[in-house]
Amino acid sequence: MKAAQIFSYGAPDVLTVTEVERPEPGPGQVLVAVAASSVNGHDALVRSGAAKVISGRRFPIGVGLDFAGFVAATGPDVDSVRAGDPVWGTVHPREKHAIAGAAEFVVVAADRVGPVPVGLSALQAAALLVPGITALAALRGATHMEAGERVLVRGAAGGVGTAAVQLAHAFGGRVTALARARHTAALTDLGAECVLDYRQTAAEETGLFDVIVDTVGTDLARYRRRLTKSGRMVTVGLSGPAIAAIAASTVFGSRRIRTFSANPRAAQLTELAEQVASGAVAPVIDGVYSLNDVASAHHAFDKGGALGRQMVQIAGSDATGQ
């Protein structure tokens, strides 16, 4: 089977598609035939070496946090899914993987997969999984957003940003999106009441907000000052300066900058699937690349400025295994 791996850290060109032995599921595990994966910030961190505290220095290392496809086989003691079931899921983000989601097959614990939402192809499911889970956790878990509140989504054109705009709108929020001007129409269609060009709008010019969802990870202290007295802010764009800003903000109590690490299991996948079924959120895809062209997908991710996700299609996106 083929798998995208790195044998050294660096720019996207270090990615190599290699022939490896197909893994076999052990007790409590499932083997998934992967139809699609996406490029996440986690993948870029692993590839570049910025996450080597997790991935270490022993190669090869697989890339691809998420995946969608169908169950090819199950190990002993698995009764939650059966061979042929269409599923989506993630590898564990805090573990090193020689084979991860950007591969023809991947083995994960059975509780790390769930049924693909009805109406989504595998390609669409893989595009939505991590952004949707992250946006849900930011709005429901970290900030407890309520209907009628003013919500600022910073980095609104990215994967998490587009999901956050949709979900905040669906939950009754009055959404302002910070993104490139060329994405104004698309973000308005997704539910933003106002779209501001981040290159032309200073933080101090954005207004005041009850909830701020940041996906960028810079200038956090300036944006925290845009919170109302009862406002809450969460960032999913972590860096050295971001961590320092988060630590410094703890003196502000409820108006501190929150963060979290999304690590979805079956329950979170089910919750996101319910939001898909209700029409609250849908995937947004920018580019689709073959597994052999995975480096180009990473180049597009690193370049930024796109609307939605960069995808790696590994098999027919509507494959179900049945």
Side-chain angles (χ1 to χ4, degrees):
M1 57 165 266
K2 293 181 178 180
Q5 297 177 314
I6 59 172
F7 292 82
S8 63
Y9 293 123
D13 292 336
V14 301
L15 285 160
T16 304
V17 177
T18 55
E19 292 284 344
V20 300
E21 185 175 350
R22 194 178 93 167
E24 295 297 329
Q29 295 182 322
V30 296
L31 175 70
V32 177
V34 181
S37 181
S38 73
V39 183
N40 293 278
H42 175 273
D43 302 316
L45 290 174
V46 169
R47 187 210 72 227
S48 68
K52 65 179 64 174
V53 66
I54 297 172
S55 53
R57 296 180 179 273
R58 296 185 63 181
F59 298 96
I61 298 170
V63 297
L65 176 62
D66 53 32
F67 56 84
F70 66 88
V71 176
T74 62
D77 305 320
V78 174
D79 56 16
S80 56
V81 293
R82 298 181 299 175
D85 287 351
V87 293
W88 60 348
T90 66
V91 299
H92 198 297
R94 293 189 290 275
E95 294 179 0
K96 173 184 173 181
H97 304 276
I99 300 171
E104 291 181 321
F105 293 88
V106 66
V107 165
V108 295
D111 67 353
R112 300 200 67 85
V113 302
V116 169
V118 175
L120 293 190
S121 68
L123 186 72
Q124 293 170 322
L128 182 60
L129 195 161
V130 170
I133 291 289
T134 304
L136 267 177
L139 293 167
R140 285 273 175 86
T143 62
H144 302 286
M145 191 214 111
E146 297 180 359
E149 291 191 311
R150 294 195 63 199
V151 181
L152 175 68
V153 179
R154 188 169 174 234
V160 175
T162 53
V165 168
Q166 294 178 77
L167 287 169
H169 171 70
F171 298 159
R174 298 172 56 199
V175 183
T176 295
L178 265 179
R180 294 175 184 259
R182 70 170 180 262
H183 299 314
T184 296
L187 290 169
T188 300
D189 288 343
L190 292 177
E193 289 186 6
C194 175
V195 181
L196 301 175
D197 187 342
Y198 77 91
R199 295 171 298 180
Q200 304 293 328
T201 309
E204 295 73 19
E205 299 172 324
T206 57
L208 294 178
F209 299 92
D210 303 295
V211 171
I212 297 177
V213 177
D214 172 84
T215 73
V216 181
T218 61
D219 294 331
L220 297 184
R222 290 176 66 195
Y223 282 93
R224 193 203 62 78
R225 298 187 190 103
R226 309 319 301 159
L227 290 174
T228 60
K229 290 183 178 180
S230 60
R232 293 87 66 203
M233 177 176 176
V234 62
T235 182
V236 298
L238 290 184
S239 63
I243 293 171
I246 293 166
S249 76
T250 56
V251 298
F252 296 101
S254 64
R255 296 172 70 235
R256 71 189 184 279
I257 303 169
R258 299 160 169 83
T259 191
F260 61 91
S261 176
N263 183 19
R265 297 297 182 91
Q268 289 76 38
L269 297 175
T270 298
E271 182 182 5
L272 179 57
E274 291 171 352
Q275 297 297 334
V276 174
S278 73
V281 65
V284 181
I285 296 173
D286 178 74
V288 181
Y289 302 82
S290 68
L291 179 60
N292 287 334
D293 201 22
V294 63
S296 294
H298 276 245
H299 274 296
F301 178 88
D302 284 0
K303 181 180 178 181
L307 180 74
R309 306 286 277 167
Q310 307 302 333
M311 303 302 301
V312 179
Q313 185 162 311
I314 298 163
S317 63
D318 293 306
T320 64
Q322 301 182 29

